[in-house]
Amino acid sequence: MTFRSLTLTTVTAAFLALSAAATAQAADAEKLKLGFAKCAHCLPMALTPELAKGVEIEAINFNSGNDVLTALVSKSIDMAQVTYLHYITALDKGFDVVAVSGQVNGGSEIVVGKGITLKADDWDGLKKLIAERKEKGEPLRVAASRGNAQDIHMRGALQKHGINVNKDVQFINIPNPSDHAAALQRGEVDVICTVEPFASQIRQTGVGTHFALPYDQAAGNLTNLIVTRSDVIKEHPKAVEATVGSVVALVDKLKSDQTVWVDVINKYTGMDKAVATEALKNASPDYAIHKDSTLAIATMMRELKYISNDVTAAAEKNLDYTFLEAVTKKPKSELGF
């Protein structure tokens, strides 16, 4: 055997050994199903499988956060991207949910349809319009997807400005956010609090105009949270940690390169990349779990009669920083605790 052939044989053997080791490692990796919703902030979760190390993630897209939460509590999936509001709602219903990471915040916007002439953040003007409509017996029609972050953000912001959604306006539930633009265009609603990238689509197509970012309430701009169940943590702790690791890697990636973010929005929604780029102006990647704000959200949701129980104790107890601490090597005092 010549030196050249010997070298080639050695390199080939080493390559095969590495390939076999990689295959064995992949075969040994635990598998988890991870659900995520269809919004500009949620869709990057589709990238977590390629960022995962030590776990095989099957990322599954759902129409809304409500659908994702239902899949988690029914054990159709193992982990879920939902919102802080879904987390509180789940605890109120007695569901077993544990928050293990943040993801992306922001993404809510209140827009008004044609014929509604209000300047941005003119809350006094909005209150005057609501009063005029009530006097005519034609209440202002205000819409959102009931139960999602934008719904609660809007209710909290309206309450902050002295407007009671249950008494002062006619609330209309449009479950799928992708239907918001059409409802506004057809004149079925006057005002809507929607999620990106649909908010940017509404503004850029002229269907509606910006009124406010509804962050002047207890939830601030907090939206997305990664949750799982206690049985998943007990049976697959390493896989949960590895999945949190992929979320942290995703957040770091989104902070440095929005190209992949725009591409994934375009892929899943079919929206123009210019709309996707605009949507990301209202987005804040953040893997921290904000404890104090979480408890404030629980209190606000009870005041809004969105939940019936005081779940603040459970909301704090079920925040598990263990995996974020292991992945980031930071104490929980630096992770939102």
Side-chain angles (χ1 to χ4, degrees), residues 20-283:
T23 302
Q25 187 177 19
D28 292 341
E30 290 184 280
K31 299 178 181 178
L32 288 185
K33 292 183 179 179
L34 172 63
F36 62 99
K38 185 176 288 185
C39 77
H41 302 57
C42 318
L43 291 172
M45 292 298 291
L47 303 173
T48 52
E50 61 190 66
L51 297 170
K53 296 178 180 178
V55 64
E56 184 177 337
I57 298 173
E58 180 184 353
I60 304 171
N61 188 212
F62 293 81
N63 276 334
S64 70
N66 291 334
D67 295 337
V68 181
L69 181 62
T70 299
L72 178 71
V73 299
S74 64
K75 299 190 177 182
S76 298
I77 59 176
D78 306 298
M79 297 184 71
Q81 167 272 307
V82 291
T83 68
Y84 282 79
L85 303 310
H86 287 112
Y87 172 66
I88 298 301
T89 301
L91 293 174
D92 180 57
K93 294 180 178 178
F95 295 143
D96 174 18
V97 291
V98 181
V100 293
S101 176
Q103 190 241 354
V104 178
N105 296 317
S108 300
E109 182 173 357
I110 299 176
V111 293
V112 298
K114 293 178 179 177
I116 304 295
T117 52
L118 284 173
K119 294 181 180 178
D121 298 308
D122 181 9
W123 290 96
D124 288 339
L126 178 61
K127 290 170 68 175
K128 181 181 178 183
L129 177 62
I130 290 172
E132 290 173 351
R133 289 290 194 90
K134 283 184 73 175
E135 191 172 334
K136 290 181 181 178
E138 301 172 356
L140 198 72
R141 296 160 300 175
V142 176
S145 296
R146 186 173 179 82
N148 71 6
Q150 290 66 49
D151 182 28
I152 308 296
H153 283 171
M154 178 189 72
R155 288 170 186 268
L158 292 182
Q159 183 189 47
K160 187 89 175 182
H161 291 279
I163 301 168
N164 187 324
V165 174
N166 297 321
K167 296 181 179 178
D168 298 330
V169 301
Q170 178 185 356
F171 177 77
I172 297 175
N173 177 34
I174 304 176
N176 192 336
S178 62
D179 295 330
H180 287 178
L184 206 60
Q185 187 170 35
R186 290 194 294 264
E188 296 171 356
V189 299
D190 303 303
V191 179
I192 198 164
C193 190
T194 189
V195 65
E196 295 290 3
F198 304 109
S200 291
Q201 180 192 35
I202 287 170
R203 282 187 282 101
Q204 292 202 341
T205 57
V207 171
T209 57
H210 167 80
F211 176 69
L213 298 180
Y215 300 144
D216 185 19
Q217 33 70 37
N221 75 336
L222 294 184
T223 46
N224 289 0
L225 198 61
I226 307 301
V227 299
T228 184
R229 302 184 309 271
S230 58
D231 64 295
V232 178
I233 291 175
K234 182 178 180 181
E235 295 170 12
H236 309 283
K238 289 298 181 185
V240 173
E241 181 179 314
T243 302
V244 171
S246 71
V247 174
V248 170
L250 173 66
V251 168
D252 289 340
K253 189 177 185 66
L254 297 180
K255 287 180 177 178
S256 61
D257 180 13
Q258 292 199 333
T259 303
V260 294
W261 200 347
V262 170
D263 288 343
V264 78
I265 293 172
N266 174 255
K267 176 182 176 181
Y268 279 86
T269 67
M271 286 188 185
D272 188 273
K273 290 188 178 182
V275 174
T277 302
E278 179 69 16
L280 299 190
K281 294 178 181 177
N282 186 10

